[in-house]
Amino acid sequence: MKSKHIGELVLSEQQIQQGVKIVADKLNEKFEDAVVISVVPGGILFTADLVRSLSFDLSMDTISCPHTPGDSNNTSSIVYHENISIRGKDVIMIDDAIESGGTMKRLVEHISNNYEVNSISIATLFVKPSRVEIPVPQYFAYEMNNDDLLVGYGLPWQDKLRNVPYVSKLVK
């Protein structure tokens, strides 16, 4: 894919698939039945890859909370229709990454405060170092060593580049 915004490669397609396996293995050890809630649109690609590697019974749903990547003060509205009941269930929130963590923290609080779930966990491909603390189990494959803005594999720049099959540094 050609774009002036795609910079240095951070995670190749092969590293992404290895990361999917790492996270899937961790979840497969922990769960026998769960509801996975994909944070859309960013988490769609990782969710699709991940759930095909999960060996336990699962149901799927989506949640959204539009935001600007790297914005830790996301105040946009949370859209969750609860298409399937999550009451008494183990819930796994899946997104491509935890960057600042502000949005994921809001989503976890929203689910835990408004629905009687058994547990909440987070599954992402990677996390960034200066993310906020989210007090639930987190399953991820990679911890980045800096907070560079990244694009590809679900991560956008100006609502584009989500379909790039690898993760690269953003060139503004």
Side-chain angles (χ1 to χ4, degrees):
M1 177 157 215
K2 299 275 188 202
S3 171
K4 65 182 182 182
H5 297 293
I6 298 174
E8 179 186 335
L9 182 69
V10 176
L11 293 173
S12 68
E13 292 178 67
Q14 182 180 7
Q15 287 172 302
I16 288 170
Q17 292 312 311
Q18 289 170 336
V20 168
K21 182 178 181 341
I22 289 167
V23 176
D25 288 348
K26 291 177 183 181
L27 295 173
N28 285 331
E29 286 178 21
K30 172 82 175 151
F31 295 96
E32 293 181 15
D33 187 2
V35 176
V36 298
I37 300 178
S38 182
V39 180
V40 296
I44 291 173
L45 298 177
F46 183 60
T47 301
D49 287 342
L50 183 63
V51 297
R52 288 181 289 192
S53 296
L54 298 178
S55 58
F56 53 88
D57 287 335
L58 61 86
S59 302
M60 296 176 66
D61 211 339
T62 61
I63 193 167
S64 69
C65 186
H67 69 287
T68 303
D71 177 10
S72 58
N73 296 311
N74 177 2
T75 57
S76 63
S77 59
I78 294 171
V79 179
Y80 177 57
H81 297 290
E82 194 182 8
N83 294 307
I84 52 171
S85 175
I86 58 175
R87 184 177 187 172
K89 304 279 186 174
D90 293 318
V91 172
I92 305 167
M93 306 285 288
I94 303 178
D95 204 353
D96 46 11
I98 294 182
E99 297 184 280
S100 69
T103 298
M104 182 60 81
K105 185 172 185 173
R106 284 189 62 218
L107 295 175
V108 166
E109 288 171 350
H110 176 78
I111 295 297
S112 62
N113 292 340
N114 295 293
Y115 302 88
E116 296 175 24
V117 298
N118 184 47
S119 71
I120 300 179
S121 301
I122 298 169
T124 60
L125 179 61
F126 67 86
V127 297
K128 289 188 174 178
S130 66
R131 65 194 182 279
V132 298
E133 181 64 33
I134 306 171
V136 299
Q138 297 179 40
Y139 302 92
F140 55 87
Y142 303 110
E143 186 160 9
M144 298 291 134
N145 56 15
N146 61 53
D147 290 306
D148 289 345
L149 285 177
L150 304 174
V151 294
Y153 196 66
L155 298 161
W157 174 247
Q158 298 175 338
D159 290 319
K160 292 186 171 55
L161 304 177
R162 289 185 192 275
N163 61 319
V164 173
Y166 48 84
V167 177
S168 291
K169 289 184 180 178
L170 170 69
V171 177
K172 287 188 181 179

